[in-house]
Amino acid sequence: GAVVSQHPSWVICKSGTSVKIECRSLDFQATTMFWYRQFPKQSLMLMATSNEGSKATYEQGVEKDKFLINHASLTLSTLTVTSAHPEDSSFYICSARDTGHPRNTIYFGEGSWLTVV
Amino acid sequence: GEDVEQSLFLSVREGDSSVINCTYTDSSSTYLYWYKQEPGAGLQLLTYIFSNMDMKQDQRLTVLLNKKDKHLSLRIADTQTGDSAIYFCAEIPGSGYALNFGKGTSLLVTP
């Protein structure tokens, strides 16, 4: 089946620094990717929709200057958490839509654990 | 946004069937999905059903869709301890194209 790869799986960073998370679709092209955040024992919260070659669309309440999203190619989207704070510690998951699939299926990455100390 | 509702917890004995229920919100949703999340891992697509179907079977998994009641269920036959995980129901509302998730059902399978 289709694979979405996220990197890194785990990252620890100091307060005030920035960290970049990559999301790659390995065997399909994805014009649209999604970034979610998950707090412990809660459901996924959509942060933003990443569109290849254009600006991301952010959900209400998500700071676009803090969570920078770049979707420079059909197989790669990146999420950069800028000036990270401990409250940014969370599980971040990306997903990608396989528009070449007849059922328009969405596949998820394995997620990235971010801990800000 | 509107909520996709799921029961939060289900416990079954190994070998029994599990049924996880979900009610969704948008009658124009075209696809409905079930995802599985094991501890510390991302989401794994288990199965999906198109809105013009009533039932879909895939090995041990059976999905039932009642469009009139906007009710979706996932039945796992012969549940195993490896099936213990959180199961998320999700829809793509007719007005959008991002998934709208339920809060997840924690399935615990006991020996």
Side-chain angles (χ1 to χ4, degrees):
Chain A
V3 176
V4 173
S5 172
Q6 262 186 259
H7 177 81
S9 301
W10 300 83
V11 58
I12 299 173
C13 71
K14 289 187 177 181
S15 274
T17 62
S18 295
V19 61
K20 181 187 286 187
I21 301 170
E22 293 186 347
C23 178
R24 292 181 187 272
S25 57
L26 296 186
D27 52 1
F28 64 96
Q29 294 185 331
T31 54
T32 304
M33 292 185 174
F34 305 93
W35 286 97
Y36 295 85
R37 183 174 181 177
Q38 188 180 25
F39 292 100
K41 299 188 179 181
Q42 294 188 28
S43 187
L44 296 166
M45 282 178 36
L46 178 65
M47 297 174 66
T49 301
S50 171
N51 301 299
E52 187 267 337
S54 64
K55 291 183 179 179
T57 304
Y58 289 82
E59 295 299 299
Q60 193 171 8
V62 178
E63 299 176 59
K64 60 179 70 174
D65 294 330
K66 180 165 186 63
F67 298 100
L68 300 179
I69 291 172
N70 184 280
H71 194 154
S73 78
L74 286 170
T75 59
L76 174 65
S77 175
T78 60
L79 168 68
T80 301
V81 183
T82 63
S83 186
H85 289 282
E87 56 265 30
D88 299 325
S89 299
S90 190
F91 190 49
Y92 292 86
I93 304 178
C94 75
S95 68
R97 177 184 299 277
D98 183 357
T99 50
H101 192 285
R103 292 170 185 82
N104 225 6
T105 305
I106 297 176
Y107 297 93
F108 283 80
E110 283 298 311
S112 300
W113 286 99
L114 169 63
T115 301
V116 184
V117 297
Chain B
E2 297 179 72
D3 292 335
V4 174
E5 300 283 346
Q6 294 180 243
S7 52
L8 293 181
F9 187 74
L10 175 66
S11 178
V12 299
R13 286 183 180 267
E14 192 173 18
D16 289 349
S17 292
S18 309
V19 179
I20 302 171
N21 294 302
C22 168
T23 54
Y24 59 97
T25 59
D26 191 335
S27 57
S28 62
S29 294
T30 52
Y31 290 101
L32 296 138
Y33 302 83
W34 284 104
Y35 287 88
K36 176 183 180 183
Q37 186 179 30
E38 297 182 10
L43 272 71
Q44 173 194 356
L45 176 64
L46 279 182
T47 188
Y48 56 87
I49 189 167
F50 189 51
S51 58
N52 68 352
M53 299 168 66
D54 297 321
M55 184 183 85
K56 179 179 179 181
Q57 187 153 2
D58 184 1
Q59 299 181 330
R60 292 191 297 124
L61 304 178
T62 303
V63 178
L64 295 178
L65 176 61
N66 181 329
K67 280 195 71 176
K68 175 175 170 289
D69 295 336
K70 290 186 277 189
H71 183 266
L72 184 72
S73 68
L74 174 69
R75 178 177 180 270
I76 306 173
D78 187 25
T79 315
Q80 303 297 307
T81 54
D83 295 324
S84 293
I86 301 176
Y87 291 80
F88 289 94
C89 164
E91 63 171 350
I92 296 181
S95 60
Y97 56 100
L99 286 166
N100 187 21
F101 285 89
K103 288 184 167 50
T105 299
S106 291
L107 174 64
L108 176 66
V109 183
T110 56

